[in-house]
Amino acid sequence: DSGVTQTPKHLITATGQRVTLRCSPRSGDLSVYWYQQSLDQGLQFLIQYYNGEERAKGNILERFSAQQFPDLHSELNLSSLELGDSALYFCASSVGLAGYDEQFFGPGTRLTVL
Amino acid sequence: AQTVTQSQPEMSVQEAETVTLSCTYDTSESDYYLFWYKQPPSRQMILVIRQEAYKQQNATENRFSVNFQKAAKSFSLKISDSQLGDAAMYFCAYRNENLQGGSEKLVFGKGTKLTVNP
């Protein structure tokens, strides 16, 4: 157990819908990362937050948004869902920003868009 | 932009034998970190080993060791005395050391599926 929790574990929804994925980082970790793992694109970085502020964006679609709340948990919002959004979404957290800081991954949320 | 390449989509090894997984990367940075992550069928991402680019000494963690060749931009993982529990997807990853800001994101390779035969 990495100490990072993600809910829900599985999510099945239809095209055009909107979903919210939730992540609680390890106690004391200020940095949160979201990654998407799909068969065709592999593991890709979506967005990073540090202590409530957006720090960097990666290959995140405009239909997707995220935020980190004062209690440091984070939510990833996916809207106007398409079949291609089906993937495993990981949240990871680290204590700080040093390159050496290990990123601890949550168990992921499996999103299926039908 | 940094890229990570794993040229072996699949590898297999006999139990108790040694296997080496390959990884190459491309970067213009001098300070960075390299990682190997393991993803078993449970899908959990587990850090196996990491290497700081400024260290010449190769990292080791029990049965896992790396061969880091900075000039060649190569970072291979050697698993000794392979066990059935080593069967998983293995991802090589790169991370910048951003001292002036920017992202500390991980850049992953496509992965190598390792099968361990009894």
Side-chain angles (χ1 to χ4, degrees), chain B residues 33-101:
Chain B
Y33 297 83
L34 296 164
F35 306 84
W36 279 97
Y37 279 86
K38 170 185 177 181
Q39 187 178 41
S42 67
R43 298 293 188 179
Q44 180 71 50
M45 294 291 288
I46 302 164
L47 179 64
V48 174
I49 198 167
R50 61 185 159 195
Q51 174 79 43
E52 299 93 321
Y54 63 86
K55 286 188 177 180
Q56 291 187 340
Q57 186 173 7
N58 289 324
T60 62
E61 287 287 342
N62 301 312
R63 297 182 295 106
F64 298 87
S65 62
V66 299
N67 183 5
F68 173 48
Q69 302 289 329
K70 191 173 184 179
K73 295 181 181 175
S74 170
F75 182 61
S76 61
L77 174 70
K78 186 171 82 171
I79 306 174
S80 303
D81 186 25
S82 297
Q83 300 175 0
L84 294 178
D86 295 333
M89 283 290 288
Y90 285 83
F91 292 95
C92 179
Y94 167 100
R95 183 181 186 185
N96 272 337
E97 175 67 281
N98 277 310
L99 299 178
Q100 284 82 37

Side-chain angles (χ1 to χ4, degrees), chain A residues 3-17:
Chain A
V4 179
T5 60
Q6 289 188 249
T7 57
K9 287 188 178 180
H10 302 279
L11 200 49
I12 301 175
T13 187
T15 55
Q17 295 298 304

